Amino acid sequence: MMAVYPHGDANRYRHGRCRCRRCRAANTREMNLYRLAVATGVHRRDVDAEPVRQHVAKLQAAGLGVQRIAELAGVGYDTVRRLLYGKPSEGTAPTKKMRPETASKLLAVRFGLLPSEGWVPGVGTRRRVQALSAMGWPLPLVAARCGLSPDTVQRLTRAPDDGRVDASTARKVADLYRRLWCLDPASEGVPAPTVARLRSIAAGKGWVTPIGWGDIDDPDATPDTDAEQIEPRRYALWEDSEELIRGQGLTIAVAAHRLGVTASKLRKERWLVESEIAQQAGEAS
């Protein structure tokens, strides 16, 4: 399947063999910019494609097809195919080097972008249910809000690492998780003794709260369970992100990249710190 590039895109000139005026002009502009960059010594350096290939392979294992990955990254279908398989008909091996901007686009496609149907890896769904329970949310309540049976939700907590779940089930759990991860169950009507009991049970099982996960859908991710160090790191991360976001005007995504964490992790940490600051301010007044 060939990618379809719009007229006025140099890729259409090169890969689609279009020779209309707009595509010729786009190709000429790009070539002139490249020649200028080479002449001034600032031309791009290609990067190793292997980390990108491994990331794309994980996305495939999570249920995303090559075409969908290409669409989400905003790159050509052939780019992803060549990265993974090369082009056997031409005797070419999988891509060894690639443009840094292409690598960045593909690496920006994250886990958890679920297909609309079929079966998907269940590790992220299991972690989400366990994390909600570790916060103190009762599983029957989680089941009711997801529109799933209590037995189904109980089975999800015991799913193996290589287990798979229906995409619609994964989506329902992910949607609820996005609504509940930042809420205190006790403030939402769950009795405080129940919250305390569920947190104790979850801790005994080794389940962690949402803050312990970076990319919760990454099958290779491990939770941050060092409780004594979480709070100091959280405040340090918040202070560093404040400088980047408010001081330098960077976005959350760019700041997270600078700090070596995911954007979702940074949002969670900032929300927790700012909530505690607001609480302390309220108690002081």
Side-chain angles (χ1 to χ4, degrees):
M1 183 184 298
M2 292 291 292
V4 178
Y5 299 100
H7 287 289
D9 188 325
N11 286 307
R12 190 179 181 102
Y13 178 93
R14 289 194 296 269
H15 305 300
R17 302 183 185 279
C18 179
R19 295 299 182 264
C20 74
R21 179 181 58 80
R22 292 173 61 194
C23 289
R24 291 201 311 272
N27 186 66
T28 299
R29 282 195 303 271
E30 189 163 304
M31 291 305 298
N32 287 340
L33 288 172
Y34 176 75
R35 293 189 186 102
L36 176 64
V38 171
T40 56
V42 295
H43 61 292
R44 62 172 174 82
R45 295 181 182 273
D46 287 346
V47 297
D48 184 9
E50 185 56 32
V52 186
R53 183 166 26 255
Q54 293 177 6
H55 179 70
V56 171
K58 287 183 181 180
L59 293 174
Q60 284 186 297
L64 294 175
V66 171
Q67 181 64 38
R68 182 59 175 153
I69 293 170
E71 291 172 353
L72 291 169
V75 302
Y77 173 85
D78 285 345
T79 298
V80 182
R81 289 285 301 178
R82 287 175 183 270
L83 171 68
L84 293 170
Y85 313 116
K87 196 165 185 180
S89 63
E90 296 180 358
T92 57
T95 304
K96 294 182 179 179
K97 296 285 187 177
M98 64 194 316
R99 295 185 178 190
E101 58 268 25
T102 302
S104 296
K105 289 178 180 179
L106 286 167
L107 290 172
V109 180
R110 307 310 303 166
F111 297 94
L113 298 169
L114 299 170
S116 58
E117 58 185 18
W119 294 87
V120 299
V123 63
T125 302
R126 185 197 70 210
R127 289 171 178 172
R128 285 180 172 86
V129 174
Q130 291 176 345
L132 290 175
S133 181
M135 290 178 65
W137 291 103
L139 292 184
L141 184 150
V142 170
R145 294 198 180 186
C146 283
L148 300 171
S149 71
D151 287 344
T152 296
V153 172
Q154 283 286 355
R155 284 197 299 271
L156 289 174
T157 66
R158 301 189 296 270
D161 286 344
D162 59 353
R164 299 181 77 81
V165 300
D166 183 77
S168 64
T169 297
R171 192 177 300 280
K172 289 175 182 178
V173 172
D175 289 344
L176 181 66
Y177 179 84
R178 279 192 290 270
R179 297 198 301 270
L180 296 187
W181 77 263
C182 58
L183 300 177
D184 179 6
S187 67
E188 296 295 313
V190 180
T194 299
V195 172
R197 178 175 59 82
L198 292 175
R199 288 176 176 173
S200 176
I201 292 173
K205 294 179 178 179
W207 297 355
V208 297
T209 62
I211 202 63
W213 292 106
D215 191 340
I216 199 169
D217 291 288
D218 185 347
D220 293 332
T222 54
D224 184 351
T225 57
D226 189 353
E228 292 183 355
Q229 294 300 317
I230 285 179
E231 187 171 344
R233 281 204 303 271
R234 180 179 299 152
Y235 275 91
L237 183 64
W238 178 78
E239 290 175 350
D240 291 342
S241 68
E242 279 288 283
E243 168 61 25
L244 294 174
I245 294 169
R246 301 191 188 280
Q248 300 181 27
L250 301 183
T251 64
I252 284 278
V254 175
H257 179 73
R258 291 271 188 93
L259 295 168
V261 298
T262 64
S264 61
K265 174 81 168 179
L266 182 57
R267 288 192 186 94
K268 290 177 186 177
E269 299 282 12
R270 285 178 58 79
W271 179 85
L272 286 167
V273 171
E274 289 167 2
S275 296
E276 186 165 339
I277 291 173
Q279 182 179 355
Q280 291 173 352
E283 291 173 353
S285 61

